[in-house]
């Protein structure tokens, strides 16, 4: 059978990958697919060069590459052959959709499936009322680039090798001081582990304290990624009401009187998704209950720095006397989502166990990023940036809330959030979010369809509307699209 090498060996001369590598890779693929069988003689270098319309030296280089990897063998006075040592692979018929479906189903049957876990939306729209993300255009990118380049070039090689799974000691020392000065949390370097964002912190904290069937208390309409994490770890999730003052703590005590509780998860500052703040008296009672019933509190303080109405209320961790609070957060909300540095602060016994578990998940954090953060903590650049961003986001909150009230009137209901980067908006039944979201998406605007919250309340027609990532002009354009889509009732 004549082998169609020209079809089997495609290559792109404009690619950055050398042509000889593309050719050798194509031949390997044909062997793996069973098209080129062991013992098959390849054309000589001159003939193959003519077939593929390339220079003979390119084919010589490709053959040399295949010989070095033991895909080919040269038999003197006979030629170049696919090595006989390879197993015979039966060629597959042309792949059909039915065949692909069969393969997929076979693989699915072998997987340890977690179908209840869903990926977050990949928002590519220029205009977006997202979950509450920062405007990366405000981030100190030039400063980060300068610092990162400096450490890549000049850092002691020992500092950018494998380090402590807890994180760079210099960063943890400076950050412990920062937590003390800004949040009243009494911590030292050994009380901190760095993570790749708050989600990794939630997972590590849950993995450290939860056993299958342990009771974990969360609020209704809780942060969905946290719920998914605890469920994946085998916890029994018990929900309690959330009102304008945060979690209803009395409900926690009722549950504790009925069954042992292992953990309570709370976003104490700007509750996700509804943005309310847990009031001081409820904070104190929650700490008292944790001491009495000996349950852990995972306090997710993901955007503590962005509080507009007054000084932020100190976190639960600042008043923790007995070590039951696991405090976590991230610089991803403060700077940019792609900036993957988060942290967990807790009793050193908990941190030590988290470091052991982290060892089998991810060896360590991005040490160079931690060096950059340490510099910005030390020289005050991070504080100056946060102060500037706080002013911008406060102005955007006020502008967005005023515009929504003027343009959408009684069709949308929300309270102006004291902090954070999103509004919790309730739409009237005339405008079902699932349909409205699809409608505005066609006009280039992202709006959550709110479906992730309807499991707890099927009649809910609400979503988070992030205001921080759009400037005034972009917000005006977004609201204009939304208003146009709502000009008539959606059937």
């Amino acid at each position: 059978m004549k082998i169609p090498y020209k079809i089997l060996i495609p290559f792109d001369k404009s690619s950055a990958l050398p042509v000889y590598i593309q050719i050798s890779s194509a031949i390997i693929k044909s062997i793996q697919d069973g098209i080129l069988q062991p013992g098959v003689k390849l054309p000589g270098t001159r003939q193959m060069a003519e077939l593929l319309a390339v220079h003979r030296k390119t084919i010589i280089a490709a053959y040399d590459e295949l010989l070095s990897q033991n895909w080919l063998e040269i038999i003197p006075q006979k030629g170049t052959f696919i090595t006989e040592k390879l197993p015979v692979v039966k060629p597959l018929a042309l792949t059909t959709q039915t065949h692909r479906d069969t393969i997929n189903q076979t693989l699915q049957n072998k997987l340890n499936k977690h179908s209840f876990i869903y990926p977050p939306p990949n928002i590519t729209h220029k205009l977006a009322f997202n979950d509450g993300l920062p405007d990366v255009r405000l981030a100190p990118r030039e400063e980060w680039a300068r610092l990162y380049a400096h450490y890549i070039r000049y850092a002691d090689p020992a500092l950018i090798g494998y380090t402590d799974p807890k994180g760079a000691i210099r960063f943890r020392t400076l950050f412990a001081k920062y937590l003390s000065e800004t949040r009243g949390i009494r911590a030292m370097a050994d009380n901190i582990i760095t993570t790749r964002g708050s989600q990794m912190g939630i997972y590590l904290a849950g993995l450290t304290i939860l056993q299958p069937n342990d009771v974990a208390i969360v609020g209704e309409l809780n942060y969905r990624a946290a719920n998914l994490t605890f469920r994946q770890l085998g916890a029994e999730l018990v929900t309690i009401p959330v009102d304008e003052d945060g979690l209803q703590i009395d409900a926690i005590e009722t549950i504790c009187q009925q069954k042992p509780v292992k953990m309570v998860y709370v976003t104490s500052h700007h509750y996700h998704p509804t943005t309310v703040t847990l009031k001081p008296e409820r904070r104190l009672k929650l700490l008292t209950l944790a001491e009495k019933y000996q349950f852990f509190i995972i306090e997710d303080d993901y955007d503590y720095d962005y509080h507009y109405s007054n000084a932020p209320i100190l976190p639960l961790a600042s008043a923790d006397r007995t070590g039951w609070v696991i405090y976590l957060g991230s610089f991803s909300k403060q700077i940019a989502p792609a900036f993957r540095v988060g942290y967990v602060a807790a009793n050193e016994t908990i941190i030590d166990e988290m470091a052991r578990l982290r060892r089998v998940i991810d060896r360590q954090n991005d040490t160079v990023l931690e060096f950059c953060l340490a510099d910005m903590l030390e020289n005050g650049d991070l504080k100056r940036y946060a102060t500037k961003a706080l002013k911008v986001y406060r102005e955007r909150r006020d502008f967005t809330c005023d515009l929504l009230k003027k343009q959408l009137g009684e069709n949308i209901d929300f309270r102006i959030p004291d902090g954070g980067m999103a509004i919790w908006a309730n739409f009237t039944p005339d405008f079902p979010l699932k349909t409205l979201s699809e409608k505005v998406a066609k006009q280039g605007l992202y709006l959550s369809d709110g479906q992730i919250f309807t499991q707890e309340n099927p009649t809910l027609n609400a979503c988070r509307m992030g205001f921080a990532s759009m400037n005034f002009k972009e917000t005006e354009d977004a609201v204009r699209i939304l208003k146009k889509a709502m000009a008539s009732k959606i059937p």
Side-chain angles (χ1 to χ4, degrees):
M1 182 183 70
K2 188 174 181 181
I3 299 174
Y5 287 103
K6 193 168 184 178
I7 297 173
L8 291 178
I9 307 177
F11 56 87
D12 179 4
K13 291 184 177 180
S14 65
S15 171
L17 191 67
V19 171
Y20 82 94
I21 293 293
Q22 295 183 57
I23 291 173
S24 61
S25 296
I27 292 174
I28 291 171
K29 185 177 185 305
S30 294
I31 295 171
Q32 292 172 329
D33 288 345
I35 298 171
L36 294 179
Q37 295 284 336
V40 166
K41 181 180 180 181
L42 293 182
T45 56
R46 192 182 305 279
Q47 183 184 357
M48 183 70 89
E50 291 175 357
L51 284 171
L52 301 183
V54 296
H55 198 283
R56 184 187 177 197
K57 288 183 178 180
T58 300
I59 301 300
I60 292 173
Y63 281 14
D64 285 345
E65 181 69 21
L66 292 165
L67 285 164
S68 70
Q69 295 184 36
N70 297 316
W71 292 100
L72 302 183
E73 58 183 344
I74 295 177
I75 299 177
Q77 299 181 349
K78 290 188 177 181
T80 303
F81 296 81
I82 308 296
T83 180
E84 293 278 5
K85 297 176 182 178
L86 295 173
V88 175
V89 180
K90 184 179 179 181
L92 291 174
L94 289 176
T95 303
T96 64
Q97 184 60 50
T98 301
H99 180 64
R100 285 194 294 269
D101 290 344
T102 301
I103 291 175
N104 291 343
Q105 187 59 55
T106 301
L107 295 175
Q108 282 283 342
N109 293 338
K110 294 291 185 179
L111 295 180
N112 179 19
K113 294 187 288 293
H114 299 88
S115 56
F116 61 90
I117 299 177
Y118 50 85
N122 181 26
I123 302 173
T124 58
H125 306 68
K126 184 178 179 181
L127 303 174
F129 285 119
N130 51 46
D131 190 63
L133 303 179
D135 189 341
V136 297
R137 295 169 295 190
L138 302 179
R141 296 164 72 176
E142 290 298 325
E143 179 66 5
W144 287 120
R146 184 185 66 78
L147 288 171
Y148 207 95
H150 168 78
Y151 282 113
I152 288 294
R153 289 191 180 102
Y154 304 117
D156 185 325
L159 294 178
I160 55 175
Y162 283 123
T163 61
D164 191 331
K166 294 179 184 177
I169 184 64
R170 176 170 172 253
F171 168 71
R172 289 188 291 125
T173 301
L174 288 167
F175 187 61
K177 181 181 177 183
Y178 175 81
L179 287 178
S180 176
E181 293 173 348
T182 62
R183 292 160 169 78
I185 296 175
R186 297 179 296 276
M188 300 180 67
D190 285 343
N191 297 116
I192 294 169
I193 184 172
T194 59
T195 63
R196 295 186 184 273
S198 58
Q199 181 56 40
M200 183 176 179
I202 293 170
Y203 182 75
L204 277 176
L207 190 61
T208 300
I209 64 177
L210 290 172
Q211 296 289 334
N213 302 315
D214 278 347
V215 174
I217 294 178
V218 299
E220 291 176 350
L221 305 180
N222 192 52
Y223 178 47
R224 303 302 295 177
N227 284 9
L228 295 176
T229 300
F230 304 142
R231 184 179 170 190
Q232 191 273 332
L233 292 171
E236 176 193 344
L237 291 188
V238 178
T239 62
I240 61 171
V242 180
D243 57 27
E244 64 275 7
D245 293 330
L247 288 174
Q248 292 186 7
I249 306 303
D250 289 342
I252 295 176
E253 184 162 27
T254 300
I255 296 169
C256 287
Q257 291 168 349
Q258 298 169 351
K259 60 176 75 174
V261 171
K262 191 64 169 294
M263 183 211 81
V264 173
Y265 172 84
V266 59
T267 47
S268 57
H269 218 117
H270 311 125
Y271 182 75
H272 194 290
T274 61
T275 77
V276 298
T277 299
L278 186 65
K279 292 298 182 281
E281 60 272 20
R282 294 193 180 184
R283 292 170 183 246
L284 292 175
K285 184 165 185 180
L286 179 56
L287 287 169
T288 301
L289 291 177
E291 292 181 25
K292 179 179 179 180
Y293 293 100
Q294 297 192 335
F295 58 74
F296 292 97
I297 299 171
I298 295 182
E299 183 178 17
D300 185 356
D301 213 358
Y302 63 96
D303 59 1
Y304 176 89
D305 295 283
Y306 298 127
H307 199 75
Y308 313 119
S309 299
N310 44 49
I313 301 173
L314 291 178
L316 291 161
S318 67
D320 180 28
R321 301 177 301 178
T322 52
W324 290 107
V325 178
I326 300 173
Y327 181 79
L328 59 89
S330 169
F331 289 92
S332 299
K333 288 288 195 297
Q334 188 174 358
I335 300 170
F339 190 88
R340 306 308 299 166
V341 178
Y343 53 85
V344 180
N347 181 279
E348 59 268 25
T349 303
I350 298 172
I351 295 299
D352 287 345
E353 186 61 27
M354 291 179 71
R356 279 189 280 272
L357 291 169
R358 197 250 174 83
R359 177 67 178 83
V360 296
I361 299 172
D362 183 18
R363 175 62 174 78
Q364 66 187 59
N365 218 41
D366 187 331
T367 307
V368 177
L369 272 181
E370 291 179 12
F371 291 165
C372 298
L373 264 177
D375 279 13
M376 296 193 76
L377 283 170
E378 197 166 43
N379 63 27
D381 282 351
L382 189 64
K383 183 178 180 180
R384 284 187 286 273
Y385 165 71
T387 301
K388 172 189 171 184
L390 179 68
K391 180 177 182 295
V392 172
Y393 294 153
R394 181 193 291 116
E395 292 171 348
R396 291 183 180 181
R397 176 202 66 170
D398 294 343
F399 181 81
T400 304
C401 290
D402 184 61
L403 195 62
L404 288 173
K405 285 183 177 179
K406 287 180 178 177
Q407 297 298 321
L408 304 185
E410 297 179 355
N411 294 322
I412 182 173
D413 179 55
F414 61 89
R415 61 183 292 275
I416 299 174
D418 292 333
M421 291 183 278
I423 297 161
W424 177 245
N426 285 276
F427 288 74
T428 60
D430 292 336
F431 304 99
L433 269 173
K434 192 172 189 310
T435 306
L436 184 60
S437 172
E438 294 171 355
K439 196 171 182 181
V440 299
K442 295 175 182 178
Q443 304 303 314
L445 171 64
Y446 173 82
L447 178 73
S448 170
D449 62 12
Q451 296 304 296
I452 61 172
F453 302 116
T454 56
Q455 290 180 0
E456 284 82 3
N457 185 348
T459 63
L460 193 67
N461 193 39
C463 69
R464 282 170 64 89
M465 297 179 68
F467 55 77
S469 60
M470 292 189 290
N471 59 33
F472 290 173
K473 173 63 168 56
E474 289 164 341
T475 301
E476 287 178 335
D477 291 342
V479 173
R480 187 180 301 113
I481 292 172
L482 193 53
K483 182 180 179 180
K484 184 178 179 181
M486 297 172 69
S488 59
K489 291 184 179 181
I490 297 175

